[in-house]
Amino acid sequence: MRKKTPSLLAAVAGAVFLAGCAAQAPAPAPAPAARAEPVYQCNADGARFAVGQPLTPQLEAAARVRSGAGVVRALKPGEAVTMELNGGRLNLDVDARNRVTDVRCG
């Protein structure tokens, strides 16, 4: 039985040695960075040119860009609107003839 003990010890030692040399599993790849949403800050002065003009999609787009707003909301006379403040939104007040009467942020 003495002959089996050294070979058993050698086998266990070899297994431990090989386990230590085994390649480690690669670390998981980092998650891709989340895309940051742009932050818009409306400045109504940039859209003052629109006052008196008929409201068109082109005028809305130009007013949005020149004011730095992310979105535009056209407000018609007597129309119910939400009152939440949105610093990145341009409000265009229009009259019954669809002409811009005022520009403001919020």
Side-chain angles (χ1 to χ4, degrees):
M1 281 212 181
R2 289 192 139 211
K3 289 188 177 185
K4 288 190 176 184
T5 304
S7 64
L8 179 60
L9 287 175
V12 170
V16 170
F17 176 75
L18 289 176
C21 293
Q24 295 286 333
R35 288 181 39 187
E37 293 294 321
V39 176
Y40 296 101
Q41 188 59 47
C42 177
N43 178 356
D45 290 336
R48 295 263 176 239
F49 75 93
V51 174
Q53 303 292 321
L55 185 65
T56 64
Q58 293 81 10
L59 183 73
E60 276 189 36
R64 181 186 58 76
V65 169
R66 288 176 60 178
S67 71
V71 294
V72 176
R73 176 169 69 170
L75 303 172
K76 298 179 175 141
E79 181 177 39
V81 296
T82 60
M83 296 303 294
E84 85 279 356
L85 179 63
N86 180 342
R89 178 175 55 209
L90 176 66
N91 293 304
L92 300 176
D93 292 319
V94 297
D95 62 14
R97 297 181 316 157
N98 206 38
R99 291 196 178 272
V100 177
T101 59
D102 193 19
V103 296
R104 56 196 164 85
C105 296

